[in-house]
Amino acid sequence: MGEQRKSISEAYGETAYPLIGHSSRNLEVLLEAFRDVDGSQMGDTYGKGAIIEEFQARMAEVLGKESAVFFPSGTMAQQIALRIWCDDAELKRVAYHPLCHLEIHEEDGLKELHHIEPILLADKERLITLEDVQRLDRDIACLLLELPQREIGGQLPEYEELEAISAYCRSQGIKLHLDGARLFEITPYYQKTAAEICALFDSVYVSFYKGIGGIAGAILAGGTDFVAKSKVWKRRHGGDLVSLYPYIISSNYYYTERIGNMGRYYEEAKELAALFNQCEGVNTKPVVPVSNMFHVHFELNKEQLEPILIEVFRTTGIGLLSYLNEAGETQCYTEVHIGERYGKTPRESIQKAFQLLNEKLQEAVST
């Protein structure tokens, strides 16, 4: 009876070959990063010391910016970035997508802590366009763009559209901030370096636990004056911890290990999406991924689909996905992102898992 009550995430965790991400987020992530570290090396102290300063300088160069600062979280970094731009413009108003992280995942931190008014551009199902920005009927200090737009499947604008938005913002005196939590993962699609993409923006945030797979942490980068102000706000927010070296060491280690694999993750995401799209009543968004992530939509509700997936997991040992979200009475969906795990899984086993999934879905539709 206990077996029948297992959730999809529990069943996924018991598979021999879970496909999502790099690894389970257990202590091995930390142990691996520290395995060859010189124990006599000095850590950082309140934002100072070689270990943090060298990593910040390395990331500033990678992102093509004058300066960079390491934050314990992207939530903190982005609220601070928008506060700085608002203060500089003496205007407490910004614009971003309705499904921006600041709008749906941060308990209104931007509004409650900084009293900044957001204007929501576009609708929930599509990307922000140049036309949306041009149609703004109120002045804003800053426009935030998220690349890729996670909550709609990781979609991306064409690069020419991005260039046009950047040029327009500069002509109007609007600062442009990049929510680049998954910046490194989009470089294969655009065929641009991180620095080339960031050149279109006045400030940029990148995550070191998403595509990179570190423990936690983020970089905020921009001009020297902007970063100096961000360090003051970091202290005000309580982000200037006495030491951040566990996060910095893991960020540096996994960045070095995985930055060269982003092209492979992207190609594998397209391969996996094609397998999902061949199944009955399944479609991905986008149909062809533009990064290492995408959403998978099923024409069955969660209650109908869970036992099917759990049976596939147990029969084949392949964990195709780790959770399901309801999407109305007759549909559900999940998010998939590719890391190291997919490439270590036998392709014939993946094919068998999808063959069985398709058979089970066809049976469910016909009954």
Side-chain angles (χ1 to χ4, degrees):
M1 183 171 290
E3 287 279 305
Q4 295 174 344
R5 292 179 180 172
K6 281 184 179 171
S7 68
I8 192 78
S9 60
E10 289 171 329
Y12 171 83
E14 293 175 356
T15 58
Y17 293 104
L19 296 186
I20 310 301
H22 296 296
S23 66
S24 58
R25 293 186 63 80
N26 56 25
L27 294 185
E28 184 60 33
V29 175
L30 179 63
L31 293 175
E32 181 181 339
F34 274 73
R35 195 158 286 140
D36 297 322
V37 169
D38 178 2
S40 65
Q41 183 180 4
M42 290 300 297
D44 58 305
T45 304
Y46 293 117
K48 298 188 182 301
I51 199 165
I52 189 170
E53 291 168 11
E54 289 173 3
F55 185 67
Q56 289 172 165
R58 181 185 186 188
M59 287 302 113
E61 183 176 0
V62 165
L63 300 173
K65 296 300 180 187
E66 290 179 348
S67 190
V69 58
F70 190 87
F71 277 84
S73 80
T75 296
M76 185 186 297
Q78 295 211 104
Q79 288 184 25
I80 286 171
L82 297 187
R83 175 62 186 263
I84 292 168
W85 294 136
C86 285
D87 283 353
D88 284 358
E90 299 183 342
L91 175 62
K92 289 289 193 75
R93 192 180 300 127
V94 300
Y96 50 57
H97 193 273
L99 297 180
C100 172
H101 194 280
L102 288 96
E103 187 68 16
I104 66 173
H105 291 307
E106 299 181 14
E107 302 289 350
D108 287 338
L110 189 70
K111 303 166 194 173
E112 296 295 330
L113 297 177
H114 298 283
H115 309 291
I116 292 173
E117 175 193 355
I119 295 175
L120 307 183
L121 291 186
D123 58 48
K124 292 182 178 181
E125 299 302 319
R126 67 170 176 84
L127 296 165
I128 292 172
T129 65
L130 173 62
E131 191 174 358
D132 292 319
V133 185
Q134 291 172 329
R135 284 180 174 176
L136 275 166
D137 57 3
R138 286 178 289 173
D139 290 338
I140 60 172
C142 180
L143 169 65
L144 179 151
L145 294 181
E146 180 185 356
L147 305 177
Q149 193 75 51
R150 177 192 180 184
E151 300 292 341
I152 54 173
Q155 296 182 50
L156 285 171
E158 292 304 314
Y159 200 74
E160 293 74 18
E161 178 85 358
L162 200 56
E163 290 178 311
I165 292 173
S166 175
Y168 178 78
C169 285
R170 285 179 177 163
S171 73
Q172 300 300 307
I174 299 170
K175 295 298 182 182
L176 190 58
H177 172 75
L178 172 58
D179 178 341
R182 296 164 177 80
L183 169 65
F184 302 123
E185 296 94 309
I186 67 173
T187 55
Y189 175 77
Y190 279 145
Q191 289 294 292
K192 303 286 184 182
T193 65
E196 287 172 327
I197 297 169
C198 291
L200 302 177
F201 294 83
D202 298 289
S203 56
V204 55
Y205 140 70
V206 293
S207 169
F208 285 90
Y209 79 85
K210 293 184 170 70
I212 296 300
I215 299 168
I219 279 283
L220 182 64
T224 303
D225 182 60
F226 169 84
V227 169
K229 291 174 181 177
S230 76
K231 289 180 178 179
V232 175
W233 276 107
K234 180 183 173 187
R235 175 64 63 91
R236 289 169 175 165
H237 270 250
D240 215 5
L241 308 187
V242 61
S243 290
L244 287 164
Y245 66 83
Y247 308 116
I248 295 165
I249 288 173
S250 74
S251 296
N252 191 43
Y253 175 82
Y254 287 110
Y255 174 83
T256 303
E257 287 286 304
R258 291 169 177 161
I259 192 61
N261 299 337
M262 295 300 162
R264 173 164 62 84
Y265 302 155
Y266 170 51
E267 294 301 324
E268 289 170 346
K270 291 190 287 184
E271 179 182 295
L272 183 58
L275 291 170
F276 273 114
N277 282 314
Q278 290 170 12
C279 293
E280 182 76 26
V282 183
N283 64 86
T284 67
K285 189 175 187 179
V287 176
V288 179
V290 292
S291 72
N292 71 325
M293 69 158 290
F294 56 92
H295 286 186
V296 187
H297 294 259
F298 298 90
E299 297 296 326
L300 293 174
N301 63 36
K302 184 177 177 180
E303 186 178 351
Q304 294 170 309
L305 184 58
E306 268 202 349
I308 292 173
L309 286 168
I310 289 172
E311 184 177 350
V312 171
F313 293 1
R314 288 173 177 164
T315 302
T316 66
I318 303 294
L320 300 177
L321 51 89
S322 60
Y323 71 92
L324 290 169
N325 286 331
E326 295 283 11
E329 294 182 2
T330 61
Q331 296 181 327
C332 61
Y333 75 96
T334 191
E335 179 181 296
V336 169
H337 59 277
I338 296 298
E340 286 297 311
R341 281 173 157 171
Y342 185 86
K344 296 175 181 176
T345 305
R347 290 300 199 273
E348 61 273 17
S349 298
I350 296 175
Q351 292 282 353
K352 288 177 182 177
F354 274 98
Q355 182 179 349
L356 180 58
L357 174 62
N358 191 38
E359 290 171 2
K360 296 294 181 184
L361 291 173
Q362 289 173 339
E363 289 174 12
V365 170
S366 63
T367 56

Short mmCIF file of all heavy atoms in Angstrom, two decimals, residues 125-175:
data_model
loop_
_atom_site.label_atom_id
_atom_site.label_comp_id
_atom_site.label_asym_id
_atom_site.label_seq_id
_atom_site.Cartn_x
_atom_site.Cartn_y
_atom_site.Cartn_z
N GLU A 125 1.50 35.02 -21.90
CA GLU A 125 1.81 33.93 -22.82
C GLU A 125 2.87 34.26 -23.84
O GLU A 125 3.24 33.41 -24.65
CB GLU A 125 0.52 33.50 -23.56
CG GLU A 125 -0.58 33.00 -22.65
CD GLU A 125 -0.15 31.81 -21.81
OE1 GLU A 125 0.55 30.92 -22.35
OE2 GLU A 125 -0.49 31.77 -20.62
N ARG A 126 3.37 35.50 -23.85
CA ARG A 126 4.34 35.86 -24.89
C ARG A 126 5.45 36.74 -24.34
O ARG A 126 5.37 37.25 -23.21
CB ARG A 126 3.64 36.55 -26.05
CG ARG A 126 3.06 37.92 -25.71
CD ARG A 126 2.59 38.65 -26.95
NE ARG A 126 1.95 39.93 -26.63
CZ ARG A 126 2.62 41.06 -26.44
NH1 ARG A 126 3.95 41.09 -26.51
NH2 ARG A 126 1.97 42.19 -26.19
N LEU A 127 6.46 36.93 -25.16
CA LEU A 127 7.61 37.75 -24.79
C LEU A 127 7.32 39.24 -24.93
O LEU A 127 6.43 39.65 -25.69
CB LEU A 127 8.80 37.40 -25.69
CG LEU A 127 9.35 35.97 -25.60
CD1 LEU A 127 10.25 35.68 -26.79
CD2 LEU A 127 10.11 35.78 -24.30
N ILE A 128 8.10 40.05 -24.23
CA ILE A 128 8.08 41.50 -24.41
C ILE A 128 8.68 41.83 -25.78
O ILE A 128 9.71 41.28 -26.16
CB ILE A 128 8.88 42.20 -23.30
CG1 ILE A 128 8.17 42.04 -21.96
CG2 ILE A 128 9.10 43.68 -23.62
CD1 ILE A 128 8.98 42.53 -20.77
N THR A 129 8.03 42.73 -26.50
CA THR A 129 8.52 43.16 -27.81
C THR A 129 8.93 44.63 -27.76
O THR A 129 8.59 45.37 -26.83
CB THR A 129 7.45 42.99 -28.89
OG1 THR A 129 6.36 43.89 -28.60
CG2 THR A 129 6.93 41.56 -28.93
N LEU A 130 9.62 45.06 -28.81
CA LEU A 130 9.98 46.48 -28.94
C LEU A 130 8.73 47.34 -28.93
O LEU A 130 8.68 48.40 -28.30
CB LEU A 130 10.77 46.70 -30.23
CG LEU A 130 11.06 48.16 -30.59
CD1 LEU A 130 11.92 48.83 -29.52
CD2 LEU A 130 11.73 48.24 -31.97
N GLU A 131 7.68 46.87 -29.60
CA GLU A 131 6.43 47.63 -29.66
C GLU A 131 5.84 47.84 -28.27
O GLU A 131 5.31 48.92 -27.96
CB GLU A 131 5.42 46.91 -30.56
CG GLU A 131 4.20 47.72 -30.89
CD GLU A 131 3.29 47.04 -31.89
OE1 GLU A 131 3.64 45.94 -32.36
OE2 GLU A 131 2.23 47.62 -32.19
N ASP A 132 5.93 46.82 -27.41
CA ASP A 132 5.44 46.97 -26.04
C ASP A 132 6.16 48.10 -25.32
O ASP A 132 5.55 48.90 -24.59
CB ASP A 132 5.65 45.68 -25.24
CG ASP A 132 4.79 44.53 -25.72
OD1 ASP A 132 3.61 44.76 -26.04
OD2 ASP A 132 5.31 43.39 -25.78
N VAL A 133 7.47 48.17 -25.50
CA VAL A 133 8.27 49.19 -24.83
C VAL A 133 7.95 50.57 -25.40
O VAL A 133 7.80 51.56 -24.66
CB VAL A 133 9.78 48.88 -24.96
CG1 VAL A 133 10.60 49.89 -24.15
CG2 VAL A 133 10.09 47.46 -24.50
N GLN A 134 7.79 50.64 -26.70
CA GLN A 134 7.49 51.93 -27.34
C GLN A 134 6.11 52.45 -26.95
O GLN A 134 5.88 53.66 -26.96
CB GLN A 134 7.57 51.78 -28.87
CG GLN A 134 8.99 51.56 -29.38
CD GLN A 134 9.03 51.22 -30.85
OE1 GLN A 134 8.10 50.62 -31.40
NE2 GLN A 134 10.12 51.60 -31.52
N ARG A 135 5.20 51.55 -26.60
CA ARG A 135 3.84 51.94 -26.25
C ARG A 135 3.68 52.36 -24.79
O ARG A 135 2.60 52.75 -24.37
CB ARG A 135 2.88 50.77 -26.52
CG ARG A 135 2.55 50.57 -27.98
CD ARG A 135 1.60 49.39 -28.13
NE ARG A 135 1.14 49.25 -29.51
CZ ARG A 135 0.37 48.26 -29.95
NH1 ARG A 135 -0.03 47.32 -29.09
NH2 ARG A 135 -0.01 48.20 -31.21
N LEU A 136 4.74 52.28 -24.01
CA LEU A 136 4.67 52.70 -22.61
C LEU A 136 4.14 54.13 -22.52
O LEU A 136 4.65 55.03 -23.20
CB LEU A 136 6.05 52.63 -21.96
CG LEU A 136 6.49 51.28 -21.39
CD1 LEU A 136 7.98 51.29 -21.10
CD2 LEU A 136 5.71 50.97 -20.11
N ASP A 137 3.13 54.34 -21.68
CA ASP A 137 2.55 55.68 -21.56
C ASP A 137 3.00 56.38 -20.28
O ASP A 137 2.49 57.46 -19.96
CB ASP A 137 1.03 55.61 -21.62
CG ASP A 137 0.42 54.71 -20.56
OD1 ASP A 137 1.18 54.17 -19.73
OD2 ASP A 137 -0.81 54.54 -20.56
N ARG A 138 3.93 55.74 -19.53
CA ARG A 138 4.50 56.37 -18.35
C ARG A 138 6.01 56.19 -18.37
O ARG A 138 6.53 55.20 -18.88
CB ARG A 138 3.92 55.74 -17.08
CG ARG A 138 2.49 56.17 -16.79
CD ARG A 138 1.95 55.50 -15.55
NE ARG A 138 1.69 54.07 -15.77
CZ ARG A 138 1.35 53.24 -14.81
NH1 ARG A 138 1.27 53.66 -13.55
NH2 ARG A 138 1.12 51.98 -15.08
N ASP A 139 6.71 57.14 -17.80
CA ASP A 139 8.17 57.06 -17.75
C ASP A 139 8.59 55.95 -16.80
O ASP A 139 7.94 55.70 -15.78
CB ASP A 139 8.76 58.38 -17.26
CG ASP A 139 8.60 59.49 -18.28
OD1 ASP A 139 8.43 59.18 -19.48
OD2 ASP A 139 8.63 60.67 -17.87
N ILE A 140 9.67 55.27 -17.13
CA ILE A 140 10.25 54.25 -16.27
C ILE A 140 11.75 54.51 -16.12
O ILE A 140 12.38 55.09 -17.00
CB ILE A 140 10.02 52.81 -16.80
CG1 ILE A 140 10.65 52.64 -18.20
CG2 ILE A 140 8.55 52.46 -16.80
CD1 ILE A 140 10.64 51.21 -18.71
N ALA A 141 12.29 54.06 -15.01
CA ALA A 141 13.74 54.18 -14.80
C ALA A 141 14.48 53.04 -15.46
O ALA A 141 15.61 53.22 -15.94
CB ALA A 141 14.05 54.21 -13.31
N CYS A 142 13.86 51.86 -15.48
CA CYS A 142 14.56 50.67 -15.94
C CYS A 142 13.59 49.66 -16.52
O CYS A 142 12.46 49.52 -16.04
CB CYS A 142 15.31 50.05 -14.76
SG CYS A 142 16.25 48.55 -15.15
N LEU A 143 14.03 48.97 -17.54
CA LEU A 143 13.31 47.82 -18.11
C LEU A 143 14.12 46.57 -17.80
O LEU A 143 15.33 46.53 -18.02
CB LEU A 143 13.17 47.97 -19.62
CG LEU A 143 12.67 46.74 -20.39
CD1 LEU A 143 11.23 46.39 -20.01
CD2 LEU A 143 12.79 46.96 -21.90
N LEU A 144 13.45 45.56 -17.24
CA LEU A 144 14.09 44.28 -16.96
C LEU A 144 13.64 43.26 -18.01
O LEU A 144 12.44 43.09 -18.25
CB LEU A 144 13.72 43.79 -15.57
CG LEU A 144 14.30 42.43 -15.10
CD1 LEU A 144 14.48 42.41 -13.58
CD2 LEU A 144 13.41 41.25 -15.52
N LEU A 145 14.59 42.60 -18.64
CA LEU A 145 14.30 41.49 -19.55
C LEU A 145 14.90 40.22 -18.99
O LEU A 145 16.05 40.21 -18.54
CB LEU A 145 14.89 41.75 -20.94
CG LEU A 145 14.31 42.91 -21.74
CD1 LEU A 145 15.01 42.98 -23.11
CD2 LEU A 145 12.81 42.79 -21.92
N GLU A 146 14.12 39.15 -18.99
CA GLU A 146 14.60 37.84 -18.55
C GLU A 146 14.89 36.98 -19.77
O GLU A 146 14.02 36.77 -20.61
CB GLU A 146 13.54 37.15 -17.68
CG GLU A 146 13.97 35.77 -17.20
CD GLU A 146 12.86 35.04 -16.43
OE1 GLU A 146 11.78 35.63 -16.21
OE2 GLU A 146 13.09 33.86 -16.09
N LEU A 147 16.12 36.51 -19.86
CA LEU A 147 16.54 35.65 -20.98
C LEU A 147 17.13 34.36 -20.43
O LEU A 147 18.16 34.40 -19.77
CB LEU A 147 17.60 36.37 -21.84
CG LEU A 147 17.26 37.74 -22.40
CD1 LEU A 147 18.46 38.30 -23.15
CD2 LEU A 147 16.05 37.68 -23.33
N PRO A 148 16.52 33.22 -20.68
CA PRO A 148 15.23 33.01 -21.35
C PRO A 148 14.08 33.27 -20.39
O PRO A 148 14.28 33.30 -19.17
CB PRO A 148 15.29 31.53 -21.72
CG PRO A 148 16.12 30.90 -20.63
CD PRO A 148 17.16 31.93 -20.28
N GLN A 149 12.87 33.45 -20.93
CA GLN A 149 11.69 33.71 -20.11
C GLN A 149 11.17 32.38 -19.57
O GLN A 149 10.42 31.66 -20.21
CB GLN A 149 10.60 34.41 -20.94
CG GLN A 149 9.49 35.01 -20.12
CD GLN A 149 9.90 36.28 -19.41
OE1 GLN A 149 10.44 37.19 -20.00
NE2 GLN A 149 9.65 36.34 -18.10
N ARG A 150 11.58 32.07 -18.35
CA ARG A 150 11.39 30.73 -17.80
C ARG A 150 9.93 30.28 -17.75
O ARG A 150 9.62 29.15 -18.12
CB ARG A 150 11.97 30.68 -16.39
CG ARG A 150 11.74 29.33 -15.72
CD ARG A 150 12.05 29.33 -14.25
NE ARG A 150 11.81 28.03 -13.67
CZ ARG A 150 11.92 27.75 -12.37
NH1 ARG A 150 12.26 28.71 -11.55
NH2 ARG A 150 11.67 26.55 -11.92
N GLU A 151 9.04 31.13 -17.25
CA GLU A 151 7.69 30.69 -16.97
C GLU A 151 6.85 30.42 -18.22
O GLU A 151 5.74 29.89 -18.12
CB GLU A 151 6.97 31.72 -16.09
CG GLU A 151 7.63 31.96 -14.74
CD GLU A 151 7.55 30.77 -13.79
OE1 GLU A 151 6.70 29.90 -14.02
OE2 GLU A 151 8.35 30.71 -12.83
N ILE A 152 7.36 30.76 -19.39
CA ILE A 152 6.67 30.39 -20.64
C ILE A 152 7.55 29.44 -21.47
O ILE A 152 7.57 29.49 -22.68
CB ILE A 152 6.23 31.62 -21.45
CG1 ILE A 152 7.39 32.58 -21.73
CG2 ILE A 152 5.10 32.34 -20.74
CD1 ILE A 152 7.01 33.73 -22.67
N GLY A 153 8.26 28.59 -20.76
CA GLY A 153 9.01 27.53 -21.41
C GLY A 153 10.43 27.87 -21.80
O GLY A 153 11.07 27.12 -22.53
N GLY A 154 10.91 29.03 -21.34
CA GLY A 154 12.28 29.40 -21.70
C GLY A 154 12.38 30.00 -23.08
O GLY A 154 13.37 29.80 -23.79
N GLN A 155 11.36 30.74 -23.50
CA GLN A 155 11.38 31.36 -24.82
C GLN A 155 12.37 32.53 -24.87
O GLN A 155 12.69 33.13 -23.85
CB GLN A 155 9.99 31.85 -25.20
CG GLN A 155 8.97 30.73 -25.35
CD GLN A 155 7.62 31.24 -25.78
OE1 GLN A 155 7.49 31.99 -26.73
NE2 GLN A 155 6.58 30.83 -25.05
N LEU A 156 12.84 32.83 -26.07
CA LEU A 156 13.79 33.92 -26.30
C LEU A 156 13.35 34.76 -27.49
O LEU A 156 12.84 34.22 -28.48
CB LEU A 156 15.18 33.35 -26.63
CG LEU A 156 16.01 32.76 -25.50
CD1 LEU A 156 17.25 32.07 -26.07
CD2 LEU A 156 16.42 33.84 -24.50
N PRO A 157 13.58 36.08 -27.42
CA PRO A 157 13.36 36.91 -28.61
C PRO A 157 14.47 36.67 -29.62
O PRO A 157 15.56 36.20 -29.26
CB PRO A 157 13.42 38.33 -28.06
CG PRO A 157 14.34 38.22 -26.87
CD PRO A 157 14.08 36.86 -26.28
N GLU A 158 14.20 36.98 -30.86
CA GLU A 158 15.28 36.97 -31.85
C GLU A 158 16.32 38.03 -31.46
O GLU A 158 15.98 39.05 -30.86
CB GLU A 158 14.74 37.23 -33.25
CG GLU A 158 13.87 36.11 -33.79
CD GLU A 158 14.59 34.76 -33.79
OE1 GLU A 158 15.77 34.72 -34.23
OE2 GLU A 158 13.99 33.76 -33.36
N TYR A 159 17.56 37.79 -31.80
CA TYR A 159 18.62 38.68 -31.34
C TYR A 159 18.45 40.09 -31.90
O TYR A 159 18.74 41.08 -31.21
CB TYR A 159 19.99 38.12 -31.75
CG TYR A 159 21.11 38.71 -30.93
CD1 TYR A 159 21.30 38.33 -29.60
CD2 TYR A 159 21.98 39.65 -31.46
CE1 TYR A 159 22.32 38.88 -28.83
CE2 TYR A 159 23.01 40.21 -30.71
CZ TYR A 159 23.17 39.81 -29.39
OH TYR A 159 24.18 40.35 -28.62
N GLU A 160 17.94 40.20 -33.12
CA GLU A 160 17.72 41.52 -33.72
C GLU A 160 16.68 42.32 -32.91
O GLU A 160 16.80 43.54 -32.77
CB GLU A 160 17.26 41.37 -35.17
CG GLU A 160 18.30 40.81 -36.12
CD GLU A 160 18.55 39.31 -35.95
OE1 GLU A 160 17.69 38.63 -35.33
OE2 GLU A 160 19.60 38.83 -36.42
N GLU A 161 15.66 41.62 -32.38
CA GLU A 161 14.67 42.28 -31.55
C GLU A 161 15.31 42.78 -30.26
O GLU A 161 15.03 43.88 -29.79
CB GLU A 161 13.53 41.29 -31.23
CG GLU A 161 12.44 41.84 -30.33
CD GLU A 161 11.37 42.60 -31.08
OE1 GLU A 161 11.48 42.75 -32.32
OE2 GLU A 161 10.42 43.06 -30.44
N LEU A 162 16.18 41.98 -29.71
CA LEU A 162 16.90 42.36 -28.49
C LEU A 162 17.76 43.60 -28.73
O LEU A 162 17.78 44.53 -27.91
CB LEU A 162 17.76 41.18 -28.04
CG LEU A 162 18.24 41.11 -26.60
CD1 LEU A 162 17.07 41.18 -25.63
CD2 LEU A 162 19.04 39.83 -26.40
N GLU A 163 18.46 43.61 -29.85
CA GLU A 163 19.29 44.77 -30.19
C GLU A 163 18.43 46.03 -30.36
O GLU A 163 18.82 47.12 -29.92
CB GLU A 163 20.06 44.49 -31.48
CG GLU A 163 21.17 43.45 -31.33
CD GLU A 163 21.87 43.17 -32.63
OE1 GLU A 163 21.17 42.93 -33.66
OE2 GLU A 163 23.12 43.18 -32.66
N ALA A 164 17.26 45.86 -30.97
CA ALA A 164 16.37 47.00 -31.19
C ALA A 164 15.83 47.55 -29.87
O ALA A 164 15.74 48.77 -29.68
CB ALA A 164 15.22 46.60 -32.11
N ILE A 165 15.47 46.67 -28.95
CA ILE A 165 15.00 47.11 -27.63
C ILE A 165 16.11 47.85 -26.89
O ILE A 165 15.88 48.90 -26.28
CB ILE A 165 14.50 45.91 -26.80
CG1 ILE A 165 13.22 45.31 -27.41
CG2 ILE A 165 14.24 46.32 -25.36
CD1 ILE A 165 12.76 44.02 -26.75
N SER A 166 17.32 47.31 -26.96
CA SER A 166 18.46 47.95 -26.30
C SER A 166 18.71 49.35 -26.86
O SER A 166 18.89 50.31 -26.11
CB SER A 166 19.71 47.08 -26.47
OG SER A 166 20.85 47.72 -25.95
N ALA A 167 18.71 49.46 -28.17
CA ALA A 167 18.95 50.76 -28.80
C ALA A 167 17.87 51.76 -28.44
O ALA A 167 18.15 52.94 -28.18
CB ALA A 167 19.03 50.58 -30.32
N TYR A 168 16.62 51.30 -28.42
CA TYR A 168 15.51 52.19 -28.07
C TYR A 168 15.65 52.67 -26.62
O TYR A 168 15.48 53.87 -26.35
CB TYR A 168 14.17 51.48 -28.27
CG TYR A 168 12.99 52.34 -27.89
CD1 TYR A 168 12.54 53.35 -28.74
CD2 TYR A 168 12.35 52.18 -26.66
CE1 TYR A 168 11.47 54.16 -28.38
CE2 TYR A 168 11.29 52.98 -26.29
CZ TYR A 168 10.85 53.98 -27.15
OH TYR A 168 9.80 54.79 -26.79
N CYS A 169 15.93 51.76 -25.71
CA CYS A 169 16.08 52.15 -24.30
C CYS A 169 17.19 53.19 -24.13
O CYS A 169 17.03 54.17 -23.38
CB CYS A 169 16.37 50.92 -23.44
SG CYS A 169 14.94 49.87 -23.16
N ARG A 170 18.29 53.01 -24.81
CA ARG A 170 19.40 53.97 -24.69
C ARG A 170 19.01 55.32 -25.27
O ARG A 170 19.38 56.36 -24.72
CB ARG A 170 20.64 53.39 -25.37
CG ARG A 170 21.26 52.30 -24.50
CD ARG A 170 22.48 51.63 -25.05
NE ARG A 170 22.97 50.66 -24.06
CZ ARG A 170 23.81 49.69 -24.32
NH1 ARG A 170 24.29 49.54 -25.54
NH2 ARG A 170 24.19 48.86 -23.36
N SER A 171 18.23 55.32 -26.34
CA SER A 171 17.80 56.59 -26.93
C SER A 171 16.82 57.34 -26.02
O SER A 171 16.72 58.56 -26.10
CB SER A 171 17.14 56.33 -28.30
OG SER A 171 15.85 55.75 -28.14
N GLN A 172 16.13 56.60 -25.16
CA GLN A 172 15.12 57.20 -24.27
C GLN A 172 15.64 57.40 -22.85
O GLN A 172 14.89 57.85 -21.97
CB GLN A 172 13.87 56.31 -24.22
CG GLN A 172 13.20 56.10 -25.56
CD GLN A 172 12.72 57.40 -26.18
OE1 GLN A 172 12.01 58.17 -25.53
NE2 GLN A 172 13.11 57.65 -27.42
N GLY A 173 16.89 57.03 -22.58
CA GLY A 173 17.44 57.17 -21.24
C GLY A 173 16.91 56.15 -20.25
O GLY A 173 16.92 56.39 -19.04
N ILE A 174 16.44 55.02 -20.76
CA ILE A 174 15.91 53.95 -19.90
C ILE A 174 17.03 52.93 -19.68
O ILE A 174 17.63 52.43 -20.64
CB ILE A 174 14.71 53.24 -20.57
CG1 ILE A 174 13.57 54.22 -20.81
CG2 ILE A 174 14.24 52.06 -19.73
CD1 ILE A 174 12.45 53.67 -21.68
N LYS A 175 17.33 52.63 -18.43
CA LYS A 175 18.32 51.60 -18.15
C LYS A 175 17.74 50.22 -18.46
O LYS A 175 16.56 49.97 -18.24
CB LYS A 175 18.77 51.66 -16.69
CG LYS A 175 19.49 52.94 -16.30
CD LYS A 175 20.77 53.13 -17.10
CE LYS A 175 21.50 54.39 -16.66
NZ LYS A 175 22.74 54.60 -17.46
#
